[in-house]
Amino acid sequence: MKNVQVTELNISMVPVDWLFTRYQKLEKSRKSTSSPAVQHELMIIKEHLKKTDKSSVHHREDEVEQIEMNIPVAIRQQYVSIVEYRLKQYYQSNKRKHWLNAELQKVKPQEPKFTAEMELSGVSGHSGLPHSSTEHAVMNMFDRIERIQDEIWEVEDQLYPMEKALRSLDPDQLMLIEAKYFCREEELDEYLMNKFNWYRAKYYQVKKTALILLAQSLRII
């Protein structure tokens, strides 16, 4: 199907995802040729995608554009970098939370083993004070569990604002944000365009809308 030329007659039968791929391919070939047929096919696909997108996202795009227009110029130049920094912080904090939860599982005792250790600990019936190395080890273990749990709660408090903000995104926006920012090294825009089979205009519109909605939810703008 990918070798079939798109026309006004068959475009309604072509899946939208494939149209994005076809559009990108034609855009690349246009750099090496000025064929009228290529130009015409590009125009057909572009107009069809505009109509398709308009029915589902036109209202939200208008809303986002209005938000951006109301952002003071000084903040408009900064909010993107601030949101991107907060996203990277969220990614690192989330990794920390997963590590802490794994450590907590390692440290937590199994019930039978813990009972046996307490029986052998030699706690004084009168004072209740520990007087064996085993009980010192048990107490240190509980101190460590408490410290880890406290840090987990602290990290969760730090994660909550961004988790709430991410819930304001639609599936495409969330997919883009996760792919670009929730990784060790930030992915290039060109790579993600090809990965999602999105044409350039769609990719940057989704990205801009996502960052504005996050900035608004996080009260950066």
Side-chain angles (χ1 to χ4, degrees), residues 46-57:
K46 187 174 182 180
E47 290 302 316
H48 180 80
L49 291 174
K50 277 183 179 180
K51 291 176 184 177
T52 304
D53 287 347
K54 190 176 290 186
S55 62
S56 59
V57 301

Side-chain angles (χ1 to χ4, degrees), residues 101-166:
N101 277 319
E103 286 298 299
L104 190 61
Q105 294 306 312
K106 292 178 185 177
V107 175
K108 277 186 176 179
Q110 296 178 359
E111 193 64 33
K113 181 180 177 182
F114 170 67
T115 304
E117 284 176 343
M118 290 302 292
E119 288 174 351
L120 295 172
S121 64
V123 179
S124 167
H126 299 289
S127 65
L129 296 175
H131 55 164
S132 77
S133 59
T134 302
E135 181 151 345
H136 280 299
V138 171
M139 296 305 294
N140 288 337
M141 176 188 65
F142 274 99
D143 285 343
R144 177 161 171 74
I145 289 173
E146 186 176 0
R147 288 196 302 271
I148 292 174
Q149 188 60 69
D150 285 345
E151 188 174 352
I152 289 174
W153 288 334
E154 183 180 342
V155 172
E156 286 177 341
D157 286 341
Q158 295 168 1
L159 292 172
Y160 178 74
M162 182 61 78
E163 288 176 345
K164 182 180 177 183
L166 290 168

Side-chain angles (χ1 to χ4, degrees), residues 61-77:
E61 285 182 2
D62 285 347
E63 181 182 349
V64 169
E65 292 295 340
Q66 186 61 43
I67 293 170
E68 192 170 39
M69 286 174 62
N70 293 333
I71 302 172
V73 175
I75 299 177
R76 194 182 304 168
Q77 296 169 351

